Amino acid sequence: MTEELCEKAWNFYSNNLKKLYFHAWMHYCLLQKKCKALVKQKMAFAGDYYDTRITRVVVQKWRAWVQFRKDQIALAAMRIQKVFNDNLKKIILRAWHAEAQSSAKTKAYFERLVKGDQEECFEKQDYEQYSSSETVKDEMSNIQERAILQIFHYIDLIDLARCAQVSRSWMLLTQASSIWTDIDFSSVKHKVQDKTVEKILKKWRPYVIRLNLRACSALHWPSFKSISECKNLQDLNVSECKGLNDESMRLISEGCPALLYLNLSYTDITNGTLRLLSRSFSNLQYLSLAYCRKFTDKGLQYLGSGKGCHKLIYLDLSGCIQISVDGFRCIANSCSGIKHLVINDMPTLTDKCIQALVEKCQQIVSVVFLGSPHLSDVTFKALAECKLVKVRIEGNNRITDVSFKLMSKFCPQIKHIYMADCQKITDISLKTISPLKYILVLNLADCVRISDAGLRPFLEGSSGAKLRELNLTNCIHITDASLMKIAQRCHNLTYLNIRYCESVTDGGIEALGYMTSLMSIDISGTTVSDMSLVVLGHVRRMKELSVSECRKITDLGIQRFCQGAKDLEYCDVSYCFQLTNETVKALAFNCRQLTSLNIAGCHKMTDLCIQYLSGVCHYLHFLDISGCVHLTDKTLKYLWKGCTQLRILKMLYCKNITKQAVLKYSVKLEKQEYNDADPPSWLGYDSAGSVLTLNKKSRPGSEKAKSLSQNENKEAT
């Protein structure tokens, strides 16, 4: 063996040995790596397991804490509810106790009146009020200043001056600028003078935004000059101001460029004022020229000159009979953005006038045409281009069912339909508008051709369930069937007038007793009896009731009604001949919030009923005692002492009330009507209260309806 071979053999052996060791080392390294990975994986699993256990423990403790807090909150809520219930019971008990005491005092007061101690009752009541006023704590001092300011905002200037004299704190509150942003002189129109207006406006002119001078006829140049200094004035009402003229308006136009609302009705303005409007009030939105007879069509032409009144959206031209078709064309050219149009008491208004106006004023949504007898269906054909929402027309014999068809087709959003005394309207009109979805107010008073056949489809239509006000006065063909349908469909109805619907009986009124939404109802001139009043007494929200000329109504019906209608504010029981003092006693005892009462023609009433009323109803504003022949001067004395807020009193045919007493006790009244003449024969009794035997006559409304119905039958034949 040579050396070379030995070297090759060694190399071969060493290489194989290296490979063996290398593979063994690689195997060992891989094994170690796998072991480390396995250990790492196990550690990860162990960490996750540990975190899960920790989380589970934390969640369990958190749940226990939450449950503990819930138990605490429930316990606290239970304790708070218990405290609340206890306090509520105390409040209810105190209120009940106060009401019981008040009722007991009122009952005792009425019992003393019945026994005859009339004079002593008033003196004792006055003494109690005086003595209690000294000991009772001033509750106004506990009210926040912001609330007191809001209260002061609603009282008139005289009462505000009186409030300023109560205390120093009240005087400071009356000097707040927020109260003087809205100044209403119309509430003291008979007393206000130029000096008063000048003094107030000079002090508060930077803050005045709204100013009402309606019917302040004693104002002249100095007052209007003070108005011109109110640079921030936006709303001005100078209606019925006799001292207003073009020169006064020139001053106002120079000083009040921000004016948005302007009422010039019943004034002597001419074309010169209309020229000023277009030059100075470019932002004017509301303008009333009602019953201003001294401007002409040329003045209306000025509205488009200068800056113009192009932003006008409300225009009232009632009673402006001097305006011709050309005048309306000028309005259309100047004020094409008008949305609300009022033209009442204008017999010269024709279809051509409306056509000329609508040519360019196509944004009109509300029209009022009361006392415009010459309008016809052509007017509604012209207004079809406008999306009307409100329509009011009264006393028109030319409008027919065609107008309703046009409204149904072109005015799908209409909400208010007032078509009173339009005698050519028939049941077809109601059937035509039955698909409309948004009607809230429907007034068809004196539309004598309307009957159940037309009203029923309308009530079953889309607007039946949404209807809020329905007036069917003198619709003599309406019967109990319609009232039953009203009770079934009109769940949102708040006002219902079925005056002189002679076919309505107690059966129809009984269905209305389940209408919880009803707040005002007029069933005057119908044949209903006490049963209807008993049913209506179940309507707790009732605030207004009129049963005038319901001859079957007695004291018992009124008493049962008043037991349920505690919130009654308006009541008309005039010409119900069977009613006595007991009716007023029931009203006074149960309806303490009464503000308006009409007992005219109730000839059995005596001074005792007024004493009942004045002892309890201190919020009474309106009272009509016309034809109550047994009332004497004591009535005025009782009203003077008890009803301090009385503003309007009617005393016609009150022979036992003297003129001296009227002059003495009517100083605080805003309006009073009085005469001591004998009752007219149509009242049905004489000056002593004795019933007269006269031939039975139909009521004016019913007679008119029947004659129109007869004419309709003649036309049909």
Side-chain angles (χ1 to χ4, degrees):
M1 181 181 282
T2 61
E3 187 176 350
E4 241 179 71
L5 290 173
C6 287
E7 188 177 354
K8 287 182 179 181
W10 173 254
N11 291 334
F12 177 78
Y13 173 75
S14 60
N15 289 336
N16 286 337
L17 191 61
K18 288 178 181 178
K19 287 181 181 179
L20 180 63
Y21 289 156
F22 180 75
H23 287 301
W25 179 76
M26 287 290 294
H27 179 70
Y28 174 77
C29 289
L30 290 174
L31 186 61
Q32 289 294 322
K33 192 174 183 179
K34 288 181 180 180
C35 289
K36 289 181 179 180
L38 184 61
V39 172
K40 187 176 181 181
Q41 188 177 6
K42 289 182 179 180
M43 290 299 293
F45 286 153
D48 293 341
Y49 178 75
Y50 176 78
D51 292 341
T52 302
R53 291 297 301 270
I54 293 296
T55 304
R56 188 177 298 171
V57 172
V58 172
V59 169
Q60 289 176 352
K61 291 185 178 181
W62 177 77
R63 284 180 177 176
W65 180 82
V66 169
Q67 187 62 36
F68 175 72
R69 292 295 298 170
K70 284 184 178 179
D71 294 341
Q72 281 189 328
I73 292 172
L75 182 61
M78 187 173 62
R79 291 176 178 174
I80 293 173
Q81 186 66 36
K82 185 177 181 301
V83 173
F84 174 79
N85 291 337
D86 292 342
N87 289 334
L88 183 61
K89 290 176 183 177
K90 290 179 181 178
I91 293 172
I92 293 174
L93 187 60
R94 289 172 184 169
W96 173 82
H97 183 65
E99 183 67 21
Q101 282 187 331
S102 177
S103 298
K105 289 181 181 179
T106 304
K107 187 176 180 180
Y109 171 74
F110 286 171
E111 289 176 353
R112 289 196 299 271
L113 293 183
V114 174
K115 292 178 181 178
D117 302 333
Q118 288 92 350
E119 299 296 335
E120 295 180 3
C121 288
F122 258 100
E123 294 175 0
K124 185 175 181 181
Q125 186 181 24
D126 292 341
Y127 173 76
E128 289 177 354
Q129 290 179 354
Y130 176 76
S131 60
S132 62
S133 63
E134 293 180 346
T135 58
V136 174
K137 185 180 179 181
D138 179 20
E139 297 180 355
M140 291 291 289
S141 60
N142 298 325
I143 303 177
Q144 295 182 358
E145 290 186 1
R146 184 177 179 182
I148 297 178
L149 288 174
Q150 192 68 19
I151 295 172
F152 285 171
H153 186 76
Y154 289 102
I155 62 179
D156 58 36
L157 295 174
I158 294 178
D159 291 334
L160 193 63
R162 290 171 180 167
C163 290
Q165 299 174 1
V166 172
S167 64
R168 182 170 297 180
S169 60
W170 277 33
M171 184 187 68
L172 294 175
L173 288 174
T174 58
Q175 302 301 312
S177 59
S178 60
I179 296 178
W180 300 96
T181 57
D182 187 351
I183 303 178
D184 185 5
F185 287 105
S186 64
S187 58
V188 290
K189 56 188 176 184
H190 299 299
K191 301 178 181 179
V192 66
Q193 300 292 331
D194 288 326
K195 291 183 178 180
T196 306
V197 175
E198 281 185 281
K199 183 178 179 180
I200 293 176
L201 293 183
K202 184 177 181 180
K203 184 175 182 179
W204 302 107
R205 60 190 178 190
Y207 308 103
V208 179
I209 296 177
R210 290 174 292 274
L211 184 61
N212 188 355
L213 296 168
R214 183 178 62 84
C216 296
S217 56
L219 301 184
H220 298 90
W221 176 269
S223 296
F224 299 122
K225 186 177 180 181
S226 300
I227 294 173
S228 66
E229 297 174 357
C230 301
K231 304 297 182 182
N232 297 318
L233 188 64
Q234 296 181 9
D235 186 345
L236 177 61
N237 187 345
V238 288
S239 174
E240 302 179 54
C241 289
K242 297 180 180 180
L244 185 74
N245 52 36
D246 293 340
E247 190 61 26
S248 304
M249 281 304 302
R250 183 186 63 79
L251 278 176
I252 296 173
S253 64
E254 291 175 355
C256 306
L259 211 59
L260 299 177
Y261 304 90
L262 181 59
N263 190 339
L264 299 172
S265 57
Y266 295 96
T267 58
D268 295 330
I269 58 139
T270 65
N271 294 339
T273 294
L274 297 185
R275 177 179 287 184
L276 291 172
L277 295 181
S278 61
R279 292 180 179 178
S280 305
F281 303 131
S282 57
N283 295 319
L284 196 64
Q285 297 180 4
Y286 174 104
L287 177 61
S288 176
L289 301 173
Y291 304 96
C292 297
R293 303 288 175 80
K294 293 189 177 182
F295 69 88
T296 63
D297 294 341
K298 187 176 181 181
L300 296 173
Q301 189 175 2
Y302 290 146
L303 292 178
S305 62
K307 296 180 181 179
C309 298
H310 302 301
K311 296 183 180 179
L312 203 64
I313 60 175
Y314 181 99
L315 182 61
D316 188 352
L317 297 174
S318 301
C320 299
I321 57 177
Q322 74 276 15
I323 303 177
S324 66
V325 178
D326 293 333
F328 283 97
R329 191 170 287 111
C330 293
I331 295 173
N333 294 329
S334 307
C335 313
S336 59
I338 293 177
K339 293 184 179 181
H340 306 279
L341 183 64
V342 180
I343 310 178
N344 297 330
D345 299 327
M346 194 167 176
T348 58
L349 188 67
T350 62
D351 296 327
K352 291 182 179 180
C353 297
I354 304 301
Q355 287 175 329
L357 186 65
V358 177
E359 283 181 2
K360 294 186 178 180
C361 297
Q362 298 184 359
Q363 300 182 29
I364 297 176
V365 297
S366 171
V367 292
V368 182
F369 302 133
L370 306 182
S372 300
H374 298 296
L375 297 181
S376 67
D377 296 329
V378 178
T379 292
F380 279 92
K381 189 174 181 180
L383 290 170
E385 300 179 8
C386 308
K387 303 299 181 183
L388 292 179
V389 176
K390 177 180 178 181
V391 174
R392 294 193 66 188
I393 294 180
E394 183 177 351
N396 190 296
N397 294 329
R398 301 184 64 187
I399 290 179
T400 66
D401 299 330
V402 176
S403 297
F404 279 79
K405 291 180 180 178
L406 292 170
M407 281 191 290
S408 178
K409 184 176 181 180
F410 297 103
C411 306
Q413 304 295 324
I414 195 164
K415 296 180 180 179
H416 186 132
I417 298 179
Y418 182 104
M419 291 284 190
D421 199 15
C422 297
Q423 295 153 13
K424 289 190 176 181
I425 294 175
T426 67
D427 293 332
I428 298 175
S429 296
L430 290 177
K431 294 178 182 178
T432 303
I433 63 173
S434 59
L436 296 176
K437 299 180 180 179
Y438 304 105
I439 298 178
L440 301 177
V441 178
L442 179 64
N443 190 328
L444 298 174
D446 296 318
C447 296
V448 294
R449 299 187 181 186
I450 298 297
S451 67
D452 296 337
L455 188 60
R456 178 169 184 153
F458 171 78
L459 295 175
E460 292 176 346
S462 303
S463 296
K466 299 178 181 178
L467 199 65
R468 294 181 182 176
E469 297 183 16
L470 180 61
N471 191 335
L472 300 171
T473 299
N474 209 26
C475 295
I476 58 175
H477 299 299
I478 296 297
T479 66
D480 293 340
S482 293
L483 297 189
M484 292 179 182
K485 181 58 65 174
I486 290 172
Q488 292 174 5
R489 290 283 298 161
C490 304
H491 304 299
N492 293 315
L493 193 69
T494 59
Y495 172 84
L496 177 62
N497 192 332
I498 49 175
R499 193 180 186 94
Y500 298 131
C501 294
E502 297 178 344
S503 300
V504 171
T505 65
D506 292 329
I509 302 298
E510 185 176 357
L512 301 178
Y514 301 98
M515 296 184 64
T516 56
S517 62
L518 202 61
M519 299 176 66
S520 175
I521 187 169
D522 189 342
I523 54 176
S524 302
T526 59
T527 58
V528 299
S529 63
D530 292 339
M531 186 183 301
S532 295
L533 291 182
V534 173
V535 173
L536 291 175
H538 298 155
V539 184
R540 301 295 180 181
R541 297 180 61 188
M542 188 71 69
K543 292 185 179 295
E544 298 181 3
L545 173 70
S546 181
V547 290
S548 176
E549 300 182 53
C550 293
R551 305 298 171 88
K552 296 182 180 180
I553 297 295
T554 66
D555 294 332
L556 180 61
I558 299 294
Q559 289 171 352
R560 295 287 300 276
F561 171 80
C562 292
Q563 291 174 2
K566 300 286 187 180
D567 297 330
L568 195 69
E569 297 177 0
Y570 173 92
C571 186
D572 183 358
V573 293
S574 56
Y575 308 108
C576 296
F577 294 152
Q578 298 190 52
L579 299 185
T580 66
N581 295 336
E582 294 299 318
T583 289
V584 180
K585 180 180 179 181
L587 286 169
F589 187 80
N590 295 287
C591 308
R592 309 285 180 87
Q593 307 299 321
L594 202 64
T595 60
S596 179
L597 178 62
N598 189 343
I599 55 173
C602 298
H603 62 280
K604 295 182 180 180
M605 300 291 180
T606 65
D607 293 331
L608 183 60
C609 77
I610 302 300
Q611 200 166 2
Y612 287 141
L613 197 67
S614 59
V616 182
C617 298
H618 303 300
Y619 301 104
L620 200 65
H621 290 172
F622 173 88
L623 179 62
D624 190 347
I625 54 175
S626 300
C628 297
V629 292
H630 295 300
L631 299 184
T632 66
D633 293 345
K634 290 183 179 180
T635 290
L636 299 182
K637 180 182 178 181
Y638 299 149
L639 291 175
W640 173 271
K641 290 185 177 181
C643 301
T644 56
Q645 297 190 28
L646 190 65
R647 295 293 177 265
I648 300 176
L649 178 62
K650 295 185 178 182
M651 304 167 286
L652 303 178
Y653 313 118
C654 294
K655 194 170 184 179
N656 292 323
I657 296 178
T658 63
K659 190 174 182 180
Q660 291 78 8
V662 172
L663 294 175
K664 179 180 179 181
Y665 292 111
S666 62
V667 178
K668 296 181 181 180
L669 299 177
E670 293 181 359
K671 180 181 179 182
Q672 58 95 5
E673 297 179 11
Y674 165 76
N675 66 42
D676 56 356
D678 291 331
S681 58
W682 54 263
L683 276 179
Y685 55 88
D686 57 17
S687 58
S690 302
V691 178
L692 301 176
T693 55
L694 297 174
N695 294 328
K696 186 177 180 181
K697 293 185 179 181
S698 300
R699 287 182 293 269
S702 304
E703 191 173 315
K704 177 183 178 182
K706 290 179 180 177
S707 64
L708 291 171
S709 180
Q710 291 174 359
N711 293 336
E712 176 189 356
N713 295 333
K714 289 180 181 179
E715 291 177 2
T717 55

